[in-house]
């Protein structure tokens, strides 16, 4: 009887200890505090690079840890560990929710504000637009892409960046380093796809772009044409490739 009572007490202590450890876990506390500070939909001041923070996810990429937590839900910072497709990434994130204005800063590079509307994109390729998340692209073309190194991407289309190559249709997609959203749609020469609105691609003559989009001039080799809403059509690598991109990327 004494042995049974002793065993019962031991189990009770172990269970109680486990509960205390789980509830006081720094990871658990920090993830909850992080969610309280930054949860919601965000974007750049111009409406691009949308980000949705939802508890332990950044645009559906898993946030595995929030460390170095300082401050509170109104003003603070933390280091995020994000499990991305190309490997684990670490970001320092800062937030300021005071005076009725909410701002997030990622690594001192990207400032984000509460999202209030949607961008009317100038063009798309096979239903893909700029600012789509990597997860959204995956759902449309699941398993079809191969990740290329910057040097491989540069050899194919002139862009020195990690690229997701959709070989079957001749399309390369690149993503923003912080938001995992599309910042370039690159159609290669000989592609089986084209821009949805104009039905033009890298094999189309430049004068056709001017005719279809109503430009007052025919673009030259190497030129970049502003399409409005912070997007451009780039002929920097034409006829090797033609590219729809955000204005602030090369």
């Amino acid at each position: 009887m004494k042995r049974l009572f002793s065993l019962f007490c031991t189990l009770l202590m172990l269970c109680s200890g486990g509960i205390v450890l789980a509830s006081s876990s720094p990871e658990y506390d920090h993830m909850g505090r992080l969610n309280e500070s930054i949860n919601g939909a965000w974007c750049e001041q111009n409406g691009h690079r949308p980000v949705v923070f939802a508890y332990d996810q950044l645009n559906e990429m898993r946030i595995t840890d929030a460390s170095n937590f300082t401050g509170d839900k109104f003003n603070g910072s933390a280091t995020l560990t994000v499990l991305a497709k190309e490997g684990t990434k670490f970001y320092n994130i800062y937030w300021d929710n005071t005076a009725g204005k909410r701002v997030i800063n990622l690594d001192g590079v990207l400032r984000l504000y509460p999202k209030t509307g949607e961008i009317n994109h100038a063009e798309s390729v096979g239903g893909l637009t700029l600012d789509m998340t990597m997860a959204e692209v995956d759902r449309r073309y699941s398993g079809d892409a191969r990740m290329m190194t910057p040097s491989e991407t540069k050899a194919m289309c002139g862009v020195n960046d990690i690229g997701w190559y959709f070989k079957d249709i001749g399309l390369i997609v690149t993503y923003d380093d912080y938001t995992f959203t599309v910042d370039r749609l690159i159609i290669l020469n000989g592609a089986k796809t084209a821009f949805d609105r104009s039905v033009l691609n890298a094999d189309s003559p430049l004068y056709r772009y001017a005719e279809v989009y109503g430009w007052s001039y025919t673009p030259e080799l190497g030129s970049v044409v502003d399409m409005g809403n912070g997007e451009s059509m780039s002929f920097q690598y034409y006829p090797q490739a033609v590219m729809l991109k955000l204005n602030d990327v090369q």
Side-chain angles (χ1 to χ4, degrees), residues 104-116:
I104 288 177
N105 192 303
L106 286 175
D107 264 358
V109 174
L110 183 62
R111 289 176 67 84
L112 300 173
Y113 303 85
K115 186 177 178 181
T116 57

Side-chain angles (χ1 to χ4, degrees), residues 49-227:
R49 293 182 173 87
V51 176
V52 174
F53 285 103
Y55 191 65
D56 62 349
Q57 293 188 340
L58 187 169
N59 279 347
E60 299 185 61
M61 296 295 175
R62 177 76 184 279
I63 301 173
T64 60
D65 189 23
S67 58
N68 303 322
F69 200 105
T70 62
D72 52 34
K73 67 179 181 180
F74 300 107
N75 193 294
S77 65
T79 300
L80 305 185
T81 303
V82 180
L83 187 59
K85 282 187 174 292
E86 60 266 42
T88 301
K89 292 189 174 185
F90 301 93
Y91 303 129
N92 292 318
I93 185 169
Y94 310 86
W95 57 88
D96 185 354
N97 298 330
T98 57
K101 296 180 179 179
R102 302 183 70 198
V103 181
I104 288 177
N105 192 303
L106 286 175
D107 264 358
V109 174
L110 183 62
R111 289 176 67 84
L112 300 173
Y113 303 85
K115 186 177 178 181
T116 57
E118 298 293 335
I119 289 286
N120 183 23
H121 295 287
E123 260 292 8
S124 59
V125 181
L128 302 182
T129 65
L130 298 177
D131 295 323
M132 269 189 171
T133 66
M134 190 178 288
E136 288 174 324
V137 174
D138 271 351
R139 283 193 286 271
R140 287 178 179 266
Y141 295 96
S142 178
D144 292 340
R146 176 176 72 87
M147 188 178 73
M148 300 192 300
T149 65
S151 59
E152 289 176 320
T153 308
K154 185 174 183 179
M156 293 194 71
C157 64
V159 173
N160 189 30
D161 199 354
I162 291 174
W164 289 88
Y165 176 38
F166 296 86
K167 182 178 179 180
D168 290 345
I169 58 176
L171 176 70
I172 293 177
V173 179
T174 67
Y175 299 91
D176 179 77
D177 288 337
Y178 295 96
T179 63
F180 309 104
T181 54
V182 177
D183 55 13
R184 300 183 189 91
L185 291 168
I186 307 165
I187 301 178
L188 301 174
N189 184 274
K192 297 177 182 178
T193 191
F195 293 111
D196 294 330
R197 176 183 158 197
S198 65
V199 199
L200 300 175
N201 57 26
D203 299 304
S204 305
L206 293 179
Y207 74 84
R208 284 291 294 146
Y209 281 87
E211 289 178 350
V212 173
Y213 292 119
W215 300 338
S216 61
Y217 62 94
T218 297
E220 299 178 350
L221 294 179
S223 64
V224 179
V225 181
D226 192 332
M227 299 284 283

